[in-house]
Amino acid sequence: MPIRLRMSMHGKSHKKIFHIVAIDSKLRRDAKPAELLGVFNPHSEKGEPSRMVRWSVDRLRYWLSVGAVPSKSVAKLLQLGDILNPGSPY
């Protein structure tokens, strides 16, 4: 069962939020994940300067250590958060 770290969409049409999940790579985008690892909100709320990302760093590192492969968008977020090295193969 190859595990992939990817995003699933939730929320209203023009106010989407994305859950960062560990999920079997063969399942559809919004299927039930193995684990919810974080939440990415690309919309800045009133009074907040920028986008918001909340995640569990320990659980992300665990899934990466057991061989989970992040999608391109998740890999970019992990590099911005200093969880993945910029030169990593993902």
Side-chain angles (χ1 to χ4, degrees), residues 6-10 16 23 27-33:
R6 63 183 186 197
M7 294 188 191
S8 64
M9 284 198 295
H10 298 277
K16 294 287 183 194
I23 191 167
L27 295 178
R28 67 187 195 282
R29 181 192 68 210
D30 294 332
K32 186 173 181 180

Side-chain angles (χ1 to χ4, degrees), residues 20-54:
I20 302 167
V21 295
I23 191 167
D24 182 4
S25 65
K26 295 178 181 152
L27 295 178
R28 67 187 195 282
R29 181 192 68 210
D30 294 332
K32 186 173 181 180
E35 185 175 357
L36 174 65
L37 302 170
V39 177
F40 172 59
N41 185 356
H43 309 288
S44 58
E45 298 294 328
K46 192 173 187 178
E48 291 183 13
S50 62
R51 302 170 179 162
M52 180 195 65
V53 180
R54 286 190 213 150

Side-chain angles (χ1 to χ4, degrees), residues 4-87:
R4 188 138 174 105
L5 302 179
R6 63 183 186 197
M7 294 188 191
S8 64
M9 284 198 295
H10 298 277
K12 296 180 180 180
S13 295
H14 298 289
K15 285 291 220 176
K16 294 287 183 194
I17 62 169
F18 299 93
H19 289 181
I20 302 167
V21 295
I23 191 167
D24 182 4
S25 65
K26 295 178 181 152
L27 295 178
R28 67 187 195 282
R29 181 192 68 210
D30 294 332
K32 186 173 181 180
E35 185 175 357
L36 174 65
L37 302 170
V39 177
F40 172 59
N41 185 356
H43 309 288
S44 58
E45 298 294 328
K46 192 173 187 178
E48 291 183 13
S50 62
R51 302 170 179 162
M52 180 195 65
V53 180
R54 286 190 213 150
W55 51 33
S56 173
V57 176
D58 295 334
R59 295 305 295 168
L60 282 165
R61 287 192 176 135
Y62 165 77
W63 281 108
L64 290 169
S65 72
V66 296
V69 179
S71 66
K72 288 181 183 179
S73 55
V74 171
K76 186 175 179 181
L77 281 175
L78 294 178
Q79 287 174 357
L80 289 173
D82 291 330
I83 295 172
L84 276 181
N85 294 331

